[in-house]
Amino acid sequence: MSEAKSCSSCSSDSCSTQTKRPDESMEEFQERQVLAYRMGQIKHKIMVLSGKGGVGKSTVAVNLAVSLGLAGKKVGLLDVDIHGPSIPTMLKLDKSSIRTGPSRPGGADAIYPVTIGDNIKVISIAFFLQSDAQAVIWRGPLKMGAIKQFLKDVEWGELDYLIIDSPPGTGDEPLSVCQLIEDTDGSIIVTTPQKVSISDVKRSINFCHVLNLPVLGILENMSGFVCPECGKQVDIFKSGGGEELAKAFGIRFLGRIPLDPQIVESCDDGKPYVYHYARTETAKAFGRVIVPLLEMDGKKGEVAGDQSPVASSQSPVPKNKEDGKIRIAMPVAGGQLCMHFGHSEEFALFDVEDSQVKGKQMLTPPPHAPGVLPKWLHEQGANIIIAGGMGSRAQNLFEQHGVHVVIGAPGHTPEEVVTAYLNGTLETGRNVCDH
Ligand code: ADP
């Protein structure tokens, strides 16, 4: 493979993807660069998880992807459910549509996803299995290798969202995805309303917490049955399990999708439900689930590689401390705001009272690892972070800790940046390193 640029949003030599790690071979280094390049072209990566099988996780993944596509977004759908890949059936796709050919970076052969309409691209592990029996013998490293290939060697191109359908549970596949994509935005956990599902969902929530993967929300599927004859709703599985759990864990409840016989039919016939039954209440319920995903996109910049600025002015300074005091953090390298959050030498923390800087502290951060800095800065009392660039996963983690994020700040001294911020004159541009 010839030399690749790590990611189209960043040209800095100080970025970690530009530097070979001492413990990796040249081949591993180049693979990491290609992976960073591919993932840098995708704005949001969202995993769909469930504690157990049969709750409708793949159905939800398909219908979320198609709903986002219908909303005009560029969407990828990746099926890594190695032991039960059902997405090709649900979308009536087969492996004969898969093409390979030269691609960026480096002109090496890549796999081209199957496209649906203009803006939905799909890859399923089922396209590459010789037989159903083959997957049964796959173990951790082999699965990790296959998933890495789907992320690295698939020509996804620029996408607004990549929806990843993982197998049920908390096994190798979701773990591999989290390890390979450092800036996964978060997960959507699908469950059914029965109370017996609660322990499965708790396991999924714990799994996300351990991996510092934000939980974007819980979705209750098969929640109530609307009788096609009389229109009356019957709660076959009782109800409330998912919603109660969301409340208990302070997680957003994304709503309920009813048990609907037409969903089974549409899955079996390979017709995406939200497209073919767009006017139904069930399709509207799917439409409500994508609202937070669309909001997330509104908050963020252009697809990496687009040179247009995201914003040229800042949002108002939040007054999120009752006593009028705020603590502003900034990554610093060489005495200036460091463009790459996560690779800074130190952090400047400014204590501000009534819009006046009252004190400054320089702190050395703990070693860089996914999810560490948002927690650490929260512990240092920061409630605003100003950075040049930051991955979406870190942004989500900061927001979850109640730390307001400002990105796209220029590489000036921390004093200049904080003064401009407090005066409302800070010019923010593109998120310079979105991975
Ligand atoms: P999982 O990915 O969790 O194993 P699937 O998405 O494959 O589950 O769904 C399992 C079965 O349940 C499929 O036959 C699908 O058509 C059906 N199903 C999923 N959601 C619903 C629903 N809301 N109403 C009716 N059937 C559903």
Side-chain angles (χ1 to χ4, degrees):
M1 167 99 40
S2 61
E3 205 178 271
K5 180 149 266 313
S6 62
C7 105
S8 57
S9 66
C10 165
S11 55
S12 168
D13 290 341
S14 66
C15 180
S16 67
T17 49
Q18 298 286 350
T19 318
K20 185 175 159 309
R21 292 179 188 146
D23 59 342
E24 69 186 350
S25 67
M26 189 48 86
E27 196 188 338
E28 287 166 339
F29 172 48
Q30 285 174 341
E31 278 191 345
R32 191 162 58 82
Q33 285 190 307
V34 177
L35 181 63
Y37 169 81
R38 295 258 190 251
M39 294 300 106
Q41 290 195 304
I42 302 171
K43 280 206 271 186
H44 303 288
K45 297 104 180 167
I46 294 154
M47 289 173 68
V48 183
L49 300 177
S50 67
K52 62 178 175 193
V55 300
K57 173 186 51 59
S58 300
T59 307
V60 167
V62 163
N63 283 288
L64 291 188
V66 176
S67 298
L68 288 166
L70 291 171
K73 300 293 178 183
K74 287 188 236 167
V75 188
L77 176 60
L78 173 61
D79 174 15
V80 294
D81 193 342
I82 289 172
H83 298 287
S86 46
I87 282 182
T89 309
M90 290 183 180
L91 290 170
K92 219 178 198 153
L93 304 174
D94 71 72
K95 57 177 93 175
S96 62
S97 333
I98 289 284
R99 290 185 300 119
T100 57
S103 79
R104 292 171 64 209
D109 266 7
I111 303 162
Y112 283 80
V114 182
T115 53
I116 303 177
D118 292 336
N119 53 348
I120 303 176
K121 298 178 179 176
V122 186
I123 279 287
S124 168
I125 198 138
F127 297 152
F128 303 91
L129 293 175
Q130 266 133 35
S131 68
D132 288 350
Q134 196 184 351
V136 177
I137 54 164
W138 283 21
R139 291 287 173 266
L142 212 53
K143 290 180 188 171
M144 172 90 157
I147 292 169
K148 189 196 245 181
Q149 206 180 356
F150 288 142
L151 297 170
K152 178 179 74 64
D153 293 345
V154 171
E155 179 61 78
W156 290 106
E158 290 183 355
L159 293 179
D160 295 309
Y161 299 90
L162 180 66
I163 306 290
I164 303 159
D165 182 24
S166 301
T170 52
D172 292 327
E173 296 85 344
L175 182 66
S176 299
V177 172
C178 283
Q179 286 169 341
L180 291 164
I181 316 177
E182 282 192 13
D183 66 342
T184 309
D185 290 70
S187 67
I188 289 178
I189 299 177
V190 182
T191 183
T192 47
Q194 309 93 307
K195 293 237 160 78
V196 288
S197 306
I198 287 180
S199 57
D200 298 307
V201 182
K202 277 187 185 158
R203 257 198 308 279
S204 299
I205 295 173
N206 279 342
F207 173 79
C208 294
H209 284 172
V210 168
L211 293 174
N212 276 317
L213 179 69
V215 180
L216 303 173
I218 293 180
L219 174 64
E220 216 173 81
N221 188 31
M222 307 187 184
S223 186
F225 172 72
V226 182
C227 172
E229 300 297 325
C230 65
K232 200 172 158 215
Q233 175 152 345
V234 188
D235 284 337
I236 294 177
F237 294 141
K238 295 287 173 202
S239 69
E243 188 168 11
E244 272 173 32
L245 211 64
K247 262 193 211 140
F249 280 82
I251 292 169
R252 189 169 184 163
F253 181 62
L254 296 173
R256 297 186 167 87
I257 307 292
L259 246 183
D260 185 332
Q262 283 174 324
I263 290 190
V264 185
E265 222 173 89
S266 69
C267 285
D268 288 350
D269 294 350
K271 296 176 174 171
Y273 180 89
V274 290
Y275 179 75
H276 289 275
Y277 299 96
R279 289 171 188 278
T280 58
E281 285 305 312
T282 307
K284 285 181 195 156
F286 275 115
R288 288 190 286 275
V289 178
I290 63 162
V291 169
L293 307 188
L294 295 171
E295 282 170 6
M296 176 195 280
D297 197 44
K299 250 184 12 186
K300 279 203 64 193
E302 303 298 314
V303 171
D306 187 329
Q307 297 304 308
S308 59
V310 175
S312 56
S313 62
Q314 68 182 62
S315 52
V317 177
K319 293 186 177 64
N320 44 355
K321 280 204 172 173
E322 283 145 24
D323 52 8
K325 291 181 188 167
I326 50 176
R327 197 150 211 241
I328 302 177
M330 243 177 271
V332 179
Q336 299 205 309
L337 182 128
C338 172
M339 284 294 103
H340 300 279
F341 169 82
H343 307 295
S344 57
E345 294 160 3
E346 48 189 354
F347 274 80
L349 281 120
F350 291 95
D351 286 307
V352 175
E353 208 173 325
D354 298 327
S355 300
Q356 299 293 318
V357 174
K358 298 288 181 189
K360 178 187 166 193
Q361 196 182 8
M362 296 302 294
L363 293 177
T364 306
H368 178 51
V372 166
L373 288 175
K375 186 165 176 276
W376 176 73
L377 284 166
H378 170 66
E379 284 162 5
Q380 305 311 314
N383 52 348
I384 297 173
I385 168 92
I386 304 180
M390 189 189 296
S392 52
R393 186 164 162 198
Q395 287 181 46
N396 281 329
L397 286 170
F398 272 119
E399 301 285 359
Q400 282 190 4
H401 284 299
V403 181
H404 176 69
V405 178
V406 178
I407 45 174
H412 300 160
T413 66
E415 283 74 13
E416 285 168 337
V417 173
V418 78
T419 306
Y421 182 70
L422 294 170
N423 290 341
T425 56
L426 183 70
E427 291 281 318
T428 52
R430 203 162 56 92
N431 186 2
V432 294
C433 187
D434 186 16
H435 62 256

Coordinates of all heavy atoms in Angstrom, one line a residue, residues 47-55 57 80-81 83 143 164-176 178 187-190 199-208 211 213:
M47 N -23.6 2.8 17.2 CA -23.8 1.4 17.3 C -25.2 1.1 17.8 O -25.6 1.7 18.7 CB -22.7 0.8 18.3 CG -21.4 0.8 17.7 SD -20.1 0.3 18.9 CE -20.6 -1.4 19.1
V48 N -25.8 0.0 17.2 CA -27.1 -0.4 17.7 C -26.8 -1.7 18.5 O -26.2 -2.7 17.9 CB -28.1 -0.6 16.6 CG1 -29.4 -1.0 17.1 CG2 -28.2 0.6 15.7
L49 N -27.2 -1.7 19.8 CA -26.9 -2.8 20.6 C -28.1 -3.4 21.3 O -29.1 -2.7 21.4 CB -26.0 -2.4 21.8 CG -24.6 -1.8 21.5 CD1 -24.0 -1.3 22.8 CD2 -23.7 -2.8 20.8
S50 N -28.1 -4.6 21.7 CA -29.1 -5.2 22.5 C -28.5 -6.2 23.4 O -27.5 -6.8 23.1 CB -30.2 -5.8 21.6 OG -29.7 -7.0 21.0
G51 N -29.2 -6.4 24.6 CA -28.7 -7.4 25.5 C -28.9 -8.8 25.1 O -28.1 -9.7 25.4
K52 N -29.9 -9.0 24.3 CA -30.1 -10.4 23.8 C -30.7 -10.4 22.4 O -31.2 -9.3 21.9 CB -31.0 -11.2 24.7 CG -32.4 -10.6 24.9 CD -33.3 -11.4 25.8 CE -34.6 -10.6 26.0 NZ -35.4 -11.1 27.1
G53 N -30.8 -11.6 21.7 CA -31.3 -11.6 20.4 C -32.8 -11.6 20.3 O -33.5 -11.8 21.3
G54 N -33.3 -11.3 19.1 CA -34.7 -11.4 18.9 C -35.5 -10.2 19.3 O -36.7 -10.2 19.2
V55 N -34.9 -9.1 19.8 CA -35.6 -8.0 20.3 C -35.9 -6.9 19.2 O -36.6 -5.9 19.4 CB -34.9 -7.3 21.5 CG1 -34.8 -8.2 22.6 CG2 -33.6 -6.7 21.1
K57 N -33.2 -5.7 17.1 CA -32.1 -4.8 16.9 C -31.8 -4.5 15.4 O -31.6 -3.4 15.0 CB -30.9 -5.4 17.6 CG -29.6 -4.7 17.4 CD -28.5 -5.5 18.1 CE -28.4 -6.9 17.6 NZ -28.3 -7.2 16.2
V80 N -22.3 -6.2 11.4 CA -21.2 -7.1 11.9 C -21.8 -8.2 12.8 O -21.0 -8.8 13.6 CB -20.1 -6.3 12.6 CG1 -19.3 -5.4 11.7 CG2 -20.6 -5.6 13.8
D81 N -23.0 -8.5 12.6 CA -23.7 -9.6 13.3 C -23.2 -10.9 12.7 O -24.0 -11.6 11.9 CB -25.2 -9.4 13.3 CG -25.9 -10.3 14.3 OD1 -25.2 -11.3 14.8 OD2 -27.0 -10.0 14.6
H83 N -22.8 -14.0 13.6 CA -23.6 -15.2 13.8 C -25.0 -15.2 13.3 O -25.7 -16.2 13.3 CB -23.5 -15.6 15.3 CG -22.1 -15.9 15.7 ND1 -21.4 -17.0 15.3 CD2 -21.2 -15.2 16.4 CE1 -20.1 -17.0 15.7 NE2 -20.0 -15.8 16.4
K143 N -12.6 -12.4 14.2 CA -13.7 -11.4 14.1 C -13.2 -10.0 14.0 O -13.6 -9.2 13.3 CB -14.6 -11.6 15.3 CG -15.4 -12.9 15.4 CD -16.2 -12.8 16.6 CE -16.9 -14.2 16.8 NZ -17.5 -14.2 18.2
I164 N -24.0 0.9 12.9 CA -23.4 -0.4 13.0 C -24.3 -1.4 13.8 O -24.6 -1.1 15.0 CB -22.0 -0.3 13.7 CG1 -21.1 0.8 12.9 CG2 -21.3 -1.6 13.8 CD1 -20.0 1.4 13.8
D165 N -24.7 -2.4 13.1 CA -25.5 -3.4 13.8 C -24.6 -4.5 14.3 O -24.0 -5.3 13.6 CB -26.5 -4.0 12.7 CG -27.4 -5.0 13.3 OD1 -27.7 -5.0 14.5 OD2 -27.9 -5.9 12.5
S166 N -24.5 -4.6 15.6 CA -23.6 -5.6 16.3 C -24.5 -6.8 16.7 O -25.7 -6.6 16.9 CB -23.0 -5.0 17.5 OG -22.3 -3.9 17.2
P167 N -23.8 -7.9 16.9 CA -24.6 -9.0 17.5 C -25.1 -8.7 18.9 O -24.5 -7.8 19.5 CB -23.5 -10.2 17.6 CG -22.3 -9.7 16.9 CD -22.4 -8.2 16.8
P168 N -26.1 -9.5 19.3 CA -26.6 -9.2 20.7 C -25.6 -9.5 21.7 O -24.6 -10.3 21.5 CB -27.8 -10.2 20.8 CG -27.7 -11.1 19.7 CD -26.9 -10.5 18.6
G169 N -25.7 -8.9 22.8 CA -24.7 -9.1 23.9 C -23.6 -8.2 23.9 O -23.5 -7.2 23.2
T170 N -22.6 -8.6 24.7 CA -21.4 -7.7 24.9 C -20.1 -8.4 24.5 O -19.2 -8.4 25.3 CB -21.4 -7.2 26.4 OG1 -21.4 -8.4 27.2 CG2 -22.5 -6.4 26.7
G171 N -20.1 -9.0 23.4 CA -19.0 -9.9 23.0 C -17.9 -9.2 22.2 O -17.8 -7.9 22.2
D172 N -17.2 -10.0 21.4 CA -16.0 -9.5 20.7 C -16.4 -8.4 19.7 O -15.6 -7.5 19.4 CB -15.4 -10.6 19.9 CG -14.8 -11.7 20.8 OD1 -14.3 -11.3 21.9 OD2 -14.8 -12.9 20.4
E173 N -17.5 -8.5 19.0 CA -17.8 -7.6 17.9 C -18.0 -6.2 18.3 O -17.3 -5.3 17.8 CB -19.0 -8.1 17.1 CG -18.8 -9.5 16.4 CD -19.1 -10.6 17.3 OE1 -19.2 -10.5 18.5 OE2 -19.2 -11.8 16.8
P174 N -18.9 -5.9 19.3 CA -19.0 -4.5 19.7 C -17.7 -4.0 20.3 O -17.3 -2.8 20.1 CB -20.2 -4.4 20.7 CG -20.5 -5.8 21.0 CD -19.9 -6.7 19.9
L175 N -17.0 -4.9 21.0 CA -15.8 -4.5 21.6 C -14.7 -4.1 20.5 O -14.1 -3.0 20.6 CB -15.2 -5.6 22.5 CG -13.9 -5.4 23.2 CD1 -14.1 -4.4 24.3 CD2 -13.4 -6.7 23.9
S176 N -14.7 -4.9 19.5 CA -13.7 -4.6 18.4 C -14.1 -3.2 17.7 O -13.2 -2.4 17.5 CB -13.8 -5.7 17.3 OG -13.5 -6.9 17.8
C178 N -15.5 -0.7 19.1 CA -15.1 0.4 20.0 C -13.6 0.6 20.0 O -13.1 1.7 20.0 CB -15.5 0.1 21.4 SG -17.3 0.4 21.6
S187 N -24.1 4.6 21.5 CA -24.9 3.5 21.2 C -26.4 3.8 21.4 O -26.7 4.6 22.2 CB -24.5 2.3 22.1 OG -24.8 2.6 23.4
I188 N -27.2 3.0 20.7 CA -28.6 3.0 20.9 C -28.9 1.6 21.4 O -28.5 0.6 20.7 CB -29.4 3.3 19.6 CG1 -29.2 4.8 19.3 CG2 -30.9 3.0 19.8 CD1 -29.9 5.3 18.1
I189 N -29.5 1.5 22.6 CA -29.8 0.1 23.1 C -31.3 -0.2 22.8 O -32.2 0.5 23.2 CB -29.5 0.0 24.6 CG1 -28.0 0.3 24.8 CG2 -29.8 -1.3 25.2 CD1 -27.5 0.4 26.3
V190 N -31.5 -1.3 22.2 CA -32.8 -1.8 21.8 C -33.2 -2.8 22.8 O -32.5 -3.8 23.1 CB -32.9 -2.4 20.4 CG1 -34.3 -2.8 20.1 CG2 -32.4 -1.4 19.4
S199 N -32.2 -7.0 33.1 CA -30.8 -7.3 33.4 C -29.9 -7.4 32.2 O -28.8 -7.0 32.2 CB -30.7 -8.7 34.1 OG -31.3 -9.6 33.4
D200 N -30.5 -7.7 31.0 CA -29.8 -7.7 29.7 C -29.4 -6.3 29.4 O -28.3 -6.0 28.9 CB -30.6 -8.3 28.6 CG -31.0 -9.7 28.8 OD1 -30.1 -10.5 29.1 OD2 -32.2 -10.0 28.8
V201 N -30.4 -5.4 29.6 CA -30.1 -4.0 29.2 C -29.0 -3.4 30.1 O -28.1 -2.7 29.7 CB -31.4 -3.1 29.3 CG1 -31.1 -1.7 28.8 CG2 -32.4 -3.7 28.4
K202 N -29.1 -3.8 31.4 CA -28.1 -3.3 32.4 C -26.7 -3.7 32.0 O -25.8 -2.9 32.1 CB -28.4 -3.8 33.8 CG -29.5 -3.0 34.5 CD -29.6 -3.5 36.0 CE -30.7 -2.8 36.7 NZ -31.2 -3.5 37.8
R203 N -26.6 -4.9 31.5 CA -25.3 -5.4 31.0 C -24.8 -4.6 29.9 O -23.6 -4.2 29.8 CB -25.4 -6.9 30.6 CG -24.8 -7.8 31.6 CD -24.5 -9.2 31.0 NE -25.7 -9.8 30.3 CZ -26.7 -10.4 30.9 NH1 -26.7 -10.5 32.3 NH2 -27.7 -10.9 30.2
S204 N -25.7 -4.2 29.0 CA -25.3 -3.4 27.8 C -24.9 -2.0 28.3 O -23.9 -1.5 27.8 CB -26.5 -3.2 26.8 OG -26.8 -4.5 26.3
I205 N -25.6 -1.5 29.3 CA -25.3 -0.1 29.8 C -23.9 -0.2 30.4 O -23.0 0.7 30.2 CB -26.3 0.4 30.8 CG1 -27.7 0.6 30.0 CG2 -25.9 1.7 31.4 CD1 -28.8 1.0 31.0
N206 N -23.7 -1.2 31.2 CA -22.3 -1.4 31.9 C -21.2 -1.5 30.9 O -20.2 -0.9 31.0 CB -22.3 -2.6 32.8 CG -23.0 -2.3 34.1 OD1 -23.2 -1.2 34.5 ND2 -23.4 -3.4 34.8
F207 N -21.5 -2.3 29.9 CA -20.5 -2.5 28.8 C -20.1 -1.1 28.2 O -18.9 -0.8 28.0 CB -21.1 -3.4 27.7 CG -20.3 -3.6 26.5 CD1 -19.3 -4.4 26.4 CD2 -20.7 -2.9 25.3 CE1 -18.6 -4.6 25.3 CE2 -20.0 -3.0 24.1 CZ -18.9 -3.9 24.1
C208 N -21.1 -0.3 27.9 CA -20.9 1.1 27.4 C -20.1 1.9 28.4 O -19.1 2.6 28.0 CB -22.2 1.8 27.0 SG -23.0 0.9 25.7
L211 N -16.4 1.0 28.5 CA -15.7 1.4 27.3 C -15.8 2.9 27.0 O -15.4 3.4 26.0 CB -16.3 0.7 26.0 CG -16.0 -0.8 26.0 CD1 -16.7 -1.4 24.8 CD2 -14.5 -1.1 25.9
L213 N -18.3 4.6 26.2 CA -19.1 4.8 25.0 C -20.4 5.4 25.5 O -21.2 4.8 26.2 CB -19.4 3.4 24.3 CG -20.2 3.4 23.1 CD1 -19.5 4.1 21.9 CD2 -20.6 2.0 22.7

